[in-house]
Amino acid sequence: MAGRPAMTAAGHNAAGAIARAAANLCAEAGAAGVTVRGVAAAAGVAPSAVIYHFANREGLLAAAHSAMTEAIAEWMADARAASADGRGNGLSAEALAAATAIAFLRDHRAALVALQELNRAALRGDLALGDREADWSRVVRFWSAVTGTGDGAGETGPIWSVILEGAISIAALEVDPIVRDALIVDLVARAGDRIARRPLRTAPAVAPARTPPARPDHPPGRQRIIEAVIALIGEAGVGNLTHRNIAARAGVAVGTVSNAYGDRQAMIVDAFDDLRWRGIDAVILGPAPPRHYLSEIVFTPSGDLRTELALIHAVGAALVRNPDLGGAGPGGLADSVRHLREGMAERWLAMRGIHGVDAIDAALWVAVTAAIVERAICLPPAGRRHWADRAADDHLAALFGPPPFSDGVEE
């Protein structure tokens, strides 16, 4: 800030402690959990010190982003150093990649979700972040080194980077840590087989894509409640969902909400399924050309993030922070996430002329598109849609071979 004296060592230490406290709060509770008072209490300083160093809440969030990004960069540097010491001698690159991804997820699961939230805040213009393209380049170099694939033009390093980033991202949504780890192992093994065109270690069932679901048909009163749940999640996340708030937004009595939904998880599941239909199924079942599915699902014509996708991500972030929301067995939120992941991807691939895939292939394709989206939203608005569709085409060809384009679009 203009006119301030040069910061002393004590000032640097205080600023660092505040930034770390903001990062911890952001990882634990999301951007909504970061307040000047909360960070001051966590850092053991007065609120005035937070204001002095970071001006306002937006400055705190930017500092939290930097602190989490730096922590991840240090982790990657340590992992590369360990690899250079020969720890992985004699092991396959795919095994090392899976193990590294599992370790990364163990250490940075909460931060990963928080960084994605901050990226979306920057996309909306609510927050100014640093050079995120440089951050992506560093990540590509790291995963290229882990997999031994290089990062030059025409090499598969960037392909593997997207696969591993995406695998970590979707595995983070799994409630059971054993399932999370097993999913990463399966995704890495399948990606290696697909890229190398090896016989599949587990042959996928040759079957048509799942029958597309119809849009959920709810009575008007319940649909109003669902719309209220969606609106409240969009405004303040899952933590804002109380029966009283929902009733006020829906224009119904509190008892009506209680009668319709016995617990919060059930209403979130219905809201999530409704969002899934609007944001994903409606595109795949609609007139959009298959080569433009990703851009149509994710972005508006002007390159802004579609509301449905932002809210689906908010629900996923809530699931990571509160595993109890996921439920157990069929019908829970975790089950809805899996259904979204696998059913959508199978239909997507089938529309591109790729059949005979299984649940692992479907999860692999969602992992790829998840990572592509995270990169695309860091680009200028005018280029997001084209870049995302082109990246999806490149990865589709790398994994499944050049598909027969059925939408009449020229290369």
Side-chain angles (χ1 to χ4, degrees):
M1 189 174 291
R4 273 190 187 168
M7 190 177 294
T8 64
H12 279 294
N13 290 339
I18 293 168
R20 289 190 294 274
N24 290 336
L25 283 175
C26 193
E28 292 169 4
V34 178
T35 65
V36 170
R37 288 188 178 278
V39 171
V45 300
S48 58
V50 176
I51 298 298
Y52 174 80
H53 287 291
F54 298 105
N56 51 33
R57 182 172 174 275
E58 288 68 31
L60 274 178
L61 291 174
H65 181 277
S66 294
M68 287 186 285
T69 301
E70 289 171 8
I72 288 172
E74 291 175 5
W75 188 96
M76 289 181 169
D78 290 343
R80 287 189 68 170
S83 178
D85 287 342
R87 181 180 297 177
N89 286 350
L91 301 177
S92 72
E94 289 170 21
L96 285 172
T100 303
I102 289 168
F104 180 91
L105 187 55
R106 178 197 65 218
D107 293 344
H108 296 291
R109 182 172 178 240
L112 174 68
V113 175
L115 287 171
Q116 291 173 347
E117 287 182 319
L118 294 178
N119 277 337
R120 281 153 178 75
L123 181 68
R124 296 191 304 267
D126 299 340
L127 186 64
L129 300 178
D131 187 353
R132 288 173 290 162
E133 290 190 52
D135 295 337
W136 287 124
S137 296
R138 181 174 60 245
V139 170
V140 170
R141 290 194 299 272
F142 172 73
W143 289 117
S144 298
V146 170
T147 55
T149 50
D151 58 359
E155 299 184 37
T156 58
I159 298 285
W160 269 109
S161 175
V162 165
I163 290 167
L164 289 161
E165 292 161 44
I168 291 168
S169 181
I170 68 165
L173 298 176
E174 291 290 347
V175 176
D176 187 331
I178 295 175
V179 173
R180 288 200 296 267
D181 294 353
L183 177 58
I184 289 177
V185 171
D186 270 352
L187 291 177
V188 172
R190 179 59 58 85
D193 290 342
R194 286 290 187 185
I195 290 173
R197 304 294 187 260
R198 295 191 292 256
L200 297 183
R201 301 175 194 183
T202 302
V206 179
R210 298 180 184 185
T211 303
R215 182 169 188 174
D217 184 16
H218 300 293
R222 178 169 285 213
Q223 187 62 37
R224 285 200 300 274
I225 293 172
I226 291 171
E227 296 292 343
V229 170
I230 290 171
L232 290 169
I233 291 173
E235 291 171 5
V238 173
N240 200 33
L241 295 180
T242 66
H243 282 199
R244 188 174 299 279
N245 287 344
I246 294 166
R249 177 58 65 92
V252 300
V254 174
T256 302
V257 179
S258 300
N259 290 335
Y261 292 103
D263 58 39
R264 186 169 61 162
Q265 183 189 143
M267 64 178 67
I268 294 173
V269 168
D270 274 2
F272 184 85
D273 287 343
D274 200 73
L275 287 168
R276 178 187 65 199
W277 196 95
R278 298 182 197 179
I280 297 176
D281 288 328
V283 172
I284 295 177
L285 301 177
R291 289 193 66 185
H292 301 291
Y293 278 168
L294 189 56
S295 61
E296 288 292 323
I297 287 171
V298 178
F299 298 114
T300 66
S302 62
D304 293 326
L305 190 68
R306 289 193 182 278
T307 301
E308 294 86 357
L309 262 291
L311 293 179
I312 287 172
H313 183 270
V315 172
L319 180 60
V320 171
R321 295 194 178 102
N322 184 2
D324 290 341
L325 287 174
L333 183 56
D335 187 61
S336 290
V337 170
R338 293 187 197 97
H339 178 78
L340 165 68
R341 182 175 69 206
E342 296 170 8
M344 177 272 287
E346 287 181 22
R347 291 192 296 277
W348 184 330
L349 294 171
M351 291 293 288
R352 296 300 300 268
I354 299 167
H355 300 280
V357 298
D358 63 1
I360 300 174
D361 284 322
L364 177 59
W365 184 238
V366 174
V368 166
T369 54
I372 289 173
V373 169
E374 290 306 315
R375 292 189 178 188
I377 64 176
C378 296
L379 300 175
R384 288 171 186 152
R385 290 174 62 96
H386 175 73
W387 187 90
D389 286 333
R390 182 173 179 180
D393 267 357
D394 290 345
H395 286 77
L396 195 72
L399 291 168
F400 301 102
F405 297 117
S406 57
D407 57 355
V409 178
E410 295 292 334
E411 284 288 344

